[in-house]
Amino acid sequence: TKNGNAVVEKDLLNHEDLAGDRGMVDDIFDETYQEKEGPKPPLRYVWRNIILMSLLHLGALFALTLIPSAKIQTLAWAVLCFLVSALGITAGSHRLWSHRSYKATLPLRIFLTIANSMAFQNDIYEWVRDHRVHHKFSETDADPHNAMRGFFFSHIGWLLVRKHPDVIEKGQKLDLSDIKADKVVMFQRRYYKPSVVLLCFTLPAVVPWYFWDESIIISFFIPAILRYTLGLNATWLVNSAAHMFGNRPYDQNINPRENPLVSLGALGEGFHNYHHTFPYDYSTSEFGWRFNLTTAFIDLMCFLGLASDRKKVSKEVILARKMRTGDGSHKSG
Ligand code: ST9
Ligand code: ZN
Ligand code: ZN
């Protein structure tokens, strides 16, 4: 109908306005890419990663058995470390640097970079590069954690094998000039290894041991090893579970889903059907602070004058999009 077309046009206009307004559009899905025909390249295992990831997860299991003997302050500290490091990913490398969905002042960028090293998920530059190809070439050979390759691959398997050549080929064509221009990000890249040793492992372990005489074993295994492992798995669930389980109220033609449980663990990053439909929305959801500590944090930073320019999709555009491409689940939920 005439009316329907007007709404579609407005939807697209809004898409381009908000997307372009950020100075980059390389997180928008590229429909023109075609996977190469013929057999897929063979898996090349990276044994160093397989061994280290196995040891890490064994260490986390051991840490679980230590919880009953830990001091309450140590557990509270581990939770604090989890939250800070998670914000370094969600508010930092994800919503700020990958998607430019808001602007952050220098002090906030320094804080988010410190928090990001504490999370040890590769440096911000590498995270952003992989994440923009994930959006642009979602669920194809050029997606680093292509969910078409199954739960295990999109969860952790992709970190244990060499990348598909298309990831690198397409990744090299991305516009990363905004990231290269950020001195804080490039400083982190240069000093990434020592920053991880210090912030992901040493600081979390030293604080309980020094300030409240926690045993060094518990100090290391709970706030460092267990907290790190839980943070990784909460993040990976966005790539695995939130690409497989949940409703698709915004676009039923793509795989990413709305998964409130994942959102709970990942501070608001499980509203993944919404996020892949509107990657420039700073809230990654239409529901504000619900299951979304990251949005509350960014709002607080704006209130304090440390952030600004939050990009938000309007209610009417969201509704129009639901009517046009959604699975209808919003009516029942
Ligand atoms: C980790 C990351 O866990 C997790 C990211 C998850 C993303 C989630 C997104 C979901 C939304 C947000 C949710 C947040 C929720 C948070 C909740 C928190 C509670 N483009 O990589 P290499 C080139 S990390 C362009 O070695 P291989 C480039 O030249 C965990 N070029 O490829 C590169 O050199 P350089 C800890 C690219 O050999 C060169 O290739 N870290 C691209 O195939 C070689 O790159 C680990 O475990 C690209 N995209 O090896 C380490 N990629 O970098 C894991 C590569 O110098 N990584 N190039 O420019 C590795 O060991 C390796 O990357 C590998 C592949 C073995 C996996
Ligand atoms: Zn994203
Ligand atoms: Zn995704």
Side-chain angles (χ1 to χ4, degrees), residues 63-84:
L64 287 177
T65 70
L66 299 174
I67 289 180
S69 358
K71 293 186 178 173
I72 188 80
Q73 303 97 298
T74 307
L75 299 178
W77 168 248
V79 170
L80 183 70
C81 290
F82 179 90
L83 293 175
V84 169

Side-chain angles (χ1 to χ4, degrees), residues 131 134-135 138 145 238-239 243 256 272 275-276:
H131 194 65
H134 167 64
H135 276 265
S138 203
H145 30 85
V238 178
N239 298 335
H243 271 254
H272 215 49
H275 176 57
H276 273 264

Side-chain angles (χ1 to χ4, degrees), residues 44-46 48-49 52-53 82-83 85-91 93-95 99 119-123 125-135 142 144-145 154-174 176 189 192 227-228 230-239 243 262-270 272 275-276 284 294:
R44 286 191 290 143
Y45 297 106
V46 178
R48 189 191 69 122
N49 291 12
L52 288 176
M53 278 298 173
F82 179 90
L83 293 175
S85 58
L87 285 171
I89 298 300
T90 60
S93 53
H94 192 221
R95 298 189 197 182
H99 296 299
F120 183 16
Q121 292 193 8
N122 299 334
D123 63 45
Y125 179 89
E126 188 172 337
W127 205 104
V128 167
R129 193 174 60 184
D130 276 345
H131 194 65
R132 286 186 186 169
V133 272
H134 167 64
H135 276 265
H145 30 85
S154 56
H155 193 76
I156 182 175
W158 67 283
L159 292 165
L160 309 178
V161 295
R162 299 279 166 216
K163 285 171 172 158
H164 191 288
D166 284 16
V167 173
I168 294 171
E169 188 191 311
K170 290 291 165 186
Q172 280 166 348
K173 298 200 178 100
L174 291 175
L176 296 171
R189 185 160 165 83
Y192 191 58
R227 183 268 319 163
Y228 174 46
L230 290 178
L232 283 182
N233 281 277
T235 306
W236 298 339
L237 281 171
V238 178
N239 298 335
H243 271 254
V262 173
S263 272
L264 198 64
L267 312 195
E269 300 285 19
H272 215 49
H275 176 57
H276 273 264
T284 71
T294 305

